[in-house]
Amino acid sequence: PHKHPGTGWIEVIAGSMFSGKSEELIRRIRRAKIARQKVQVFKHKIDARYSADHIVSHSDMRHESIAVESAAEILARIEPGTEVVGIDEGQFFDNDLVDVANELARRGIRVIIAGLDQDYMGRPFEPMPQLLAIAEYITKTHAICVRCGQPANYSQRIAPVEGRVAVGAADLYEARCRRCFVPYA
Ligand code: ADP
Ligand code: ZN
């Protein structure tokens, strides 16, 4: 994306688990820093599985991040001069993240949000659908189906889990394509 200086916008990176969302977010953040832009990266406090103060990809790429309890806390922690805001695991936030993303973009910030677009039943996982609707730019990432090798768009739950998202999840889910995906009972 390349726009008038001072113009904000929203980019969403959405897909299944293992599809490379965090890698893509970290790649964009690193490039912004190469361009000497001031960057702040956030994640939700409940996502402390690999690190409390870094976002970490399944391939062990990492970038420092600020852990917050709510979308409102992101707004409160924006520093003067910040040009790019990255947010990982957007599905851990509630729908307030939509207003916060809009407000940051309105202030001229480039907002990049990565997150799961569907839960383990294949249901749209708010607030990601709402964010996809308001974003200027959308990237849909795909994993590789562990059953058949085709591009995978689903996160198959393979063990019992409390609630809609499991934290610390790598051994509880696997990537599956549409044909191989079976909603977990
Ligand atoms: P996401 O944030 O979407 O969960 P990550 O960026 O954390 O994904 O991790 C992507 C990495 O996961 C890949 O580069 C690869 O090393 C690893 N990986 C493990 N299982 C798979 C799979 N089934 N398909 C694709 N990548 C996988
Ligand atoms: Zn498959």
Side-chain angles (χ1 to χ4, degrees):
H2 195 97
K3 289 198 165 181
H4 304 289
T7 304
W9 67 87
I10 299 169
E11 301 167 31
V12 172
I13 303 163
S16 68
M17 287 188 61
F18 307 104
S19 65
K21 301 181 298 296
S22 298
E23 289 178 345
E24 178 61 18
L25 175 61
I26 293 167
R27 190 184 76 89
R28 292 184 195 183
I29 291 162
R30 288 180 178 171
R31 288 171 58 91
K33 287 165 82 173
I34 290 168
R36 296 194 192 81
Q37 292 166 352
K38 178 159 174 172
V39 176
Q40 284 187 270
V41 179
F42 297 92
K43 65 186 237 169
H44 200 285
K45 250 185 198 152
I46 59 176
D47 175 26
R49 47 196 165 157
Y50 301 116
S51 166
D53 57 1
H54 281 72
I55 58 172
V56 183
S57 77
H58 291 105
S59 50
D60 211 32
M61 282 171 68
R62 48 182 66 224
H63 191 280
E64 61 186 25
S65 63
I66 303 165
V68 293
E69 269 167 355
S70 66
E73 194 181 340
I74 294 176
L75 261 193
R77 300 190 61 166
I78 296 296
E79 294 165 1
T82 290
E83 298 167 273
V84 180
V85 167
I87 302 166
D88 201 12
E89 306 284 7
Q91 79 282 351
F92 284 138
F93 292 87
D94 62 20
N95 280 323
D96 293 353
L97 188 57
V98 178
D99 290 340
V100 169
N102 271 327
E103 172 59 19
L104 293 173
R106 192 195 62 77
R107 293 184 191 174
I109 291 173
R110 173 187 178 194
V111 184
I112 316 170
I113 303 175
L116 275 180
D117 51 3
Q118 298 169 75
D119 67 10
Y120 68 99
M121 294 290 286
R123 295 175 298 212
F125 204 159
E126 57 284 344
M128 297 308 295
Q130 289 82 358
L131 290 164
L132 285 161
I134 64 166
E136 274 88 347
Y137 303 99
I138 296 168
T139 301
K140 184 113 180 187
T141 49
H142 302 87
I144 301 299
C145 176
V146 299
R147 283 287 171 90
C148 76
Q150 290 298 303
N153 189 35
Y154 294 93
S155 307
Q156 173 80 54
R157 189 172 276 188
I158 53 175
V161 170
E162 277 279 305
R164 199 169 178 193
V165 238
V167 185
D171 47 351
L172 305 174
Y173 296 89
E174 62 188 29
R176 298 264 188 107
C177 73
R178 185 182 291 277
R179 280 181 59 190
C180 299
F181 174 68
V182 184
Y184 193 85

